Amino acid sequence: MTEAPPCILELAGLTKRFAPGLPPVVNALNLQVQRGELLTLLGPSGCGKTTTLRLIAGLERPDEGAVRIAGRDVTAPFAPPERRGVGLVFQDYALFPHLTVLGNVLFGLRHLPRAERLPRARETLALVGLTVFESRRPDQLSGGQQQRVALARALAPRPSVLLLDEPFSNLDAQLRHSTRQEVRAILHQSGTTAVLVTHDQEEALAFSDRLVLMRGGQIEQVGPPHEVYAQPRTAFVANFLGRSNLLSGTADRHMARTALGVVPLREAASGPVMVSVRPEHLGFTDDPAAPEVTIVAREFKGHDVTYTVRLAGHAQDLLVHRPSDEVRPEGSQARLQVLQPARAVQ
């Protein structure tokens, strides 16, 4: 039997209010992060994800509960950020403009013996691929390079946990994608445990080993990104993480009767249900027994096409994702089929 990796970060009953009498922004949150794991806190504005990160960092004090880092309770007594063994990377990078790349990384190593600082700084710059830029100043670097300097400065002290708050949001779309991949590879290569906060669903899916979807200060669902996406437990998860078609129906074991007809279910259910059908799990068919729809809108995206279709005899519109070689005109009629079993959600 494979032994689970040790827990490096634990949140136990973590609660935070910003004013007496107001609902908690973070509400009795329990979470464990394993050593070397890349975990993402995802959710809409106001869900508590950034406050959770600030509580881990020591930038906020919890009203209740505990934060344990590498087995040490850093909330009782309260430890400030510099005594928690955490690294911080924010969206504005906060680099010192008057220092070189090497100087910025060295700044975070003042606690080390002098003889160890320069080798450690250069070792970390090599890890992030910036050795040849060590004598440049931040304004001589691209946005992606500045982001890697901030990462190197945070990694150089070898923190127990690296905390990243929307670190890619200031980059343009193409640079954001490539930088995100580079950072993920660097963190895995170095074995760093990291917690990322983002509101970007694509970023969360691509970056994470495990995803925590938050709502109202609590965890709505947690798991590997592919599992949370494919098996949403609630209508909120189905709609927030990607887009989904929600259909009311009546379940009888592994099928549900809906406006789309009989829809197969991943898991057995009975009685009234809400069924989540991802747009990519719908397709067009020539089967005359399949339900008829009208294509009311079409959005061509290059690699695929998103159709908005309306079921005959129903006011509900559905989304359908199909390959770009299946282009159908707006206003045309079609037949719709479910290609994969759906998920009954709460």
Side-chain angles (χ1 to χ4, degrees), residues 46-99:
C47 73
K49 58 186 184 295
T50 297
T51 301
T52 299
L53 196 79
R54 292 177 63 83
L55 289 166
I56 297 169
L59 299 172
E60 300 283 356
R61 290 176 180 260
D63 296 316
E64 300 170 26
V67 176
R68 300 185 185 96
I69 299 174
R72 180 170 69 100
D73 189 339
V74 294
T75 48
F78 184 81
E82 64 273 15
R83 295 183 183 175
R84 293 197 170 201
V86 298
L88 300 170
V89 179
F90 297 104
Q91 54 186 305
D92 62 0
Y93 312 146
L95 299 177
F96 297 109
H98 63 289
L99 296 180

Side-chain angles (χ1 to χ4, degrees), residues 9 47 68 131 161 170 229 238 240 243:
L9 171 66
C47 73
R68 300 185 185 96
T131 301
V161 181
N170 285 341
Y229 180 84
F240 188 84
R243 303 166 78 179

Side-chain angles (χ1 to χ4, degrees), residues 115-126:
E116 296 180 22
R117 297 176 192 173
L118 188 58
R120 176 76 68 81
R122 284 186 165 147
E123 175 189 342
T124 311
L125 283 175

Side-chain angles (χ1 to χ4, degrees), residues 128-144:
V128 301
L130 290 176
T131 301
V132 297
F133 299 114
E134 69 172 42
S135 60
R136 294 192 185 183
R137 299 189 188 279
D139 63 358
Q140 298 174 307
L141 302 175
S142 69

Side-chain angles (χ1 to χ4, degrees), residues 24-38:
V25 178
V26 176
N27 188 8
L29 194 68
N30 295 298
L31 183 65
Q32 291 187 340
V33 183
Q34 307 305 320
R35 188 180 300 277
E37 184 176 32
L38 304 185

Side-chain angles (χ1 to χ4, degrees), residues 119-336:
R120 176 76 68 81
R122 284 186 165 147
E123 175 189 342
T124 311
L125 283 175
L127 176 67
V128 301
L130 290 176
T131 301
V132 297
F133 299 114
E134 69 172 42
S135 60
R136 294 192 185 183
R137 299 189 188 279
D139 63 358
Q140 298 174 307
L141 302 175
S142 69
Q145 290 166 341
Q146 290 180 30
Q147 204 273 352
R148 281 189 281 158
V149 176
L151 179 65
R153 187 176 62 186
L155 286 176
R158 296 179 181 166
S160 296
V161 181
L162 182 67
L163 305 175
L164 304 130
D165 186 11
E166 303 274 6
F168 312 112
S169 60
N170 285 341
L171 304 175
D172 63 54
Q174 185 171 355
L175 186 57
R176 183 162 62 244
H177 177 267
S178 60
T179 303
R180 182 177 68 217
Q181 288 182 312
E182 291 169 359
V183 169
R184 189 177 193 277
I186 290 165
L187 294 177
H188 272 310
Q189 181 183 346
S190 61
T192 301
T193 306
V195 178
L196 168 74
V197 161
T198 184
H199 65 277
D200 187 315
Q201 296 96 321
E202 179 184 340
E203 186 168 286
L205 290 169
F207 186 86
S208 317
D209 296 327
R210 197 157 52 106
L211 177 65
V212 177
L213 186 52
M214 295 183 64
R215 181 188 189 192
Q218 297 180 312
I219 295 174
E220 189 83 359
Q221 189 168 341
V222 59
H226 65 278
E227 287 186 9
V228 178
Y229 180 84
Q231 302 176 38
R233 293 176 186 164
T234 67
F236 171 80
V237 174
N239 263 337
F240 188 84
L241 196 62
R243 303 166 78 179
S244 194
N245 299 299
L246 297 175
L247 299 162
S248 57
T250 303
D252 181 8
R253 301 183 67 183
H254 285 280
M255 68 174 198
R257 297 189 181 280
T258 73
L260 265 179
V262 175
V263 174
L265 297 177
R266 289 178 177 270
E267 297 174 353
S270 62
V273 292
M274 185 70 70
V275 177
S276 170
V277 183
R278 293 290 186 189
E280 61 269 27
H281 295 164
L282 290 174
F284 299 116
T285 178
D286 295 328
D287 183 356
E292 187 177 39
V293 297
T294 301
I295 297 174
V296 297
R298 184 186 70 193
E299 190 177 354
F300 184 75
K301 298 177 179 177
H303 52 80
D304 64 14
V305 185
T306 297
Y307 295 96
T308 302
V309 303
R310 185 163 299 157
L311 280 165
H314 297 270
Q316 184 174 5
D317 289 348
L318 303 174
L319 294 177
V320 182
H321 290 334
R322 300 309 306 150
S324 58
D325 59 355
E326 284 190 36
V327 179
R328 293 171 179 252
E330 293 178 350
S332 64
Q333 306 297 307
R335 301 278 178 176
L336 204 60

